[in-house]
Amino acid sequence: MSPQRVRLQYNVSLLHPNALVGCRVQRVPEGSTERYTRWINTLSQEQLITQVYTSHGPTVVMPTWFCSRKWYLKVGPFDERGKGVPEDLLFFYQSLRQGGRLFRVDRCLLIYRYHEKAATHSVTEETIWKLRVNFLQERVLSQWENFTIWNAGRQGRKLYRCLSPTNQKKVKAFCDVDENKIQKGFYTYEESKERPKPRIPILHYSKASAPFVICVKLDMTGGVLEEKLDSLQLKEGTDYFHFN
């Protein structure tokens, strides 16, 4: 880490004692996890909060964390069950549940090494998925009367199937840009024990209504997704949340 790291993050922590304070990072080897590193370093202050549900995990990444001992003791301890447990994500969510805030010093103060034997690779995608779905339901969907899932493909349908029965009933539609999916008209939840089985309309995104849960990967459409969201004059954190 850089010689300035402790001083700069400590100064922010003094102003915000109930916060996890991070910083920008340099990833080595250069070019490893390029999209993830760009995400870490370029999130806005608002997105540190709004994008906590994405598959990237904590918006302020654990190797950069700085916080007061008092806050750590209130939130903690870390889950020490070992291999396969996403202790950083669990602590991160618990900090937010306790009313914790998030900040990032916008200086590169840490070299963040990537290697194939890192403990993070022992955590399964399904473990992370379940934690994320539960946190989304707890923090967002519980506050909404209804919503639209943006993506009628595999990821959108998987999210729908993993929701609680109460939140499944809140899904008023799927929306997409794929004409083949839109022409099908409906997604039928075949695994449902209800009769008749739930049939969720599939709409063109321009005909769907907020709020949305976006199940399209970030930084993978060359800005097309962001342009579509802007064209609908939607506000992140109010009208939509990113989930993928």
Side-chain angles (χ1 to χ4, degrees):
M1 62 184 182
S2 79
Q4 300 86 19
R5 181 188 172 190
V6 172
R7 174 173 54 83
L8 293 174
Q9 291 187 266
Y10 174 70
N11 289 342
V12 176
S13 188
L14 285 177
L15 296 173
H16 307 285
N18 298 345
L20 295 177
V21 181
C23 64
R24 288 180 172 165
V25 302
Q26 175 190 346
R27 205 82 207 260
V28 292
E30 187 176 348
S32 57
T33 64
E34 186 175 355
R35 286 177 54 243
Y36 177 60
T37 304
R38 183 162 52 245
W39 181 77
I40 291 169
N41 287 334
T42 60
L43 288 169
S44 68
Q45 176 59 44
E46 292 77 17
Q47 288 172 328
L48 294 180
I49 295 295
T50 60
Q51 294 197 11
V52 298
Y53 309 100
T54 71
S55 56
H56 283 324
T59 50
V60 176
V61 295
M62 187 174 72
T64 73
W65 286 356
F66 190 107
C67 68
S68 71
R69 180 181 294 273
K70 184 177 180 181
W71 186 247
Y72 171 80
L73 292 175
K74 179 175 181 179
V75 175
F78 272 74
D79 188 319
E80 298 288 2
R81 285 176 292 166
K83 190 175 181 180
V85 176
E87 73 277 1
D88 59 337
L89 186 63
L90 292 169
F91 188 93
F92 183 74
Y93 283 171
Q94 190 59 22
S95 181
L96 294 174
R97 289 187 180 104
Q98 296 278 356
R101 303 181 69 188
L102 302 169
F103 293 93
R104 187 187 65 228
V105 175
D106 284 333
R107 298 253 313 257
C108 182
L109 303 175
L110 184 79
I111 293 177
Y112 184 12
R113 185 175 299 281
Y114 173 86
H115 60 96
E116 292 180 358
K117 295 184 180 180
T120 187
H121 299 308
S122 71
V123 182
T124 67
E125 185 177 328
E126 199 58 31
T127 295
I128 299 294
W129 173 273
K130 289 177 181 176
L131 289 170
R132 291 170 52 225
V133 171
N134 289 341
F135 199 59
L136 178 74
Q137 294 190 109
E138 172 190 330
R139 305 277 291 188
V140 177
L141 304 188
S142 64
Q143 309 301 312
W144 287 351
E145 293 183 3
N146 50 59
F147 62 98
T148 301
I149 296 177
W150 189 307
N151 186 351
R154 184 172 61 88
Q155 289 291 302
R157 298 194 304 269
K158 181 180 178 181
L159 174 60
Y160 173 83
R161 292 193 300 269
C162 291
L163 296 176
S164 69
T166 297
N167 285 323
Q168 285 179 348
K169 287 181 169 56
K170 294 181 181 181
V171 179
K172 56 187 173 182
F174 290 91
C175 73
D176 213 293
V177 297
D178 186 334
E179 286 298 332
N180 290 328
K181 294 186 180 74
I182 295 166
Q183 285 176 7
K184 289 180 181 178
F186 291 88
Y187 164 67
T188 303
Y189 182 28
E190 297 291 353
E191 294 89 346
S192 176
K193 294 179 181 179
E194 291 184 31
R195 294 295 182 271
K197 295 176 181 179
R199 298 179 77 214
I200 315 301
I202 301 175
L203 308 174
H204 188 270
Y205 78 90
S206 63
K207 296 180 180 178
S209 56
F212 297 94
V213 176
I214 311 289
C215 290
V216 179
K217 286 184 178 180
L218 287 162
D219 199 15
M220 291 288 282
T221 62
V224 172
L225 173 63
E226 290 76 11
E227 288 175 7
K228 287 178 169 44
L229 293 171
D230 287 342
S231 73
L232 298 175
Q233 298 182 313
L234 300 174
K235 179 176 173 55
E236 185 172 0
T238 301
D239 301 312
Y240 69 90
F241 285 89
H242 285 286
F243 185 71
N244 272 37

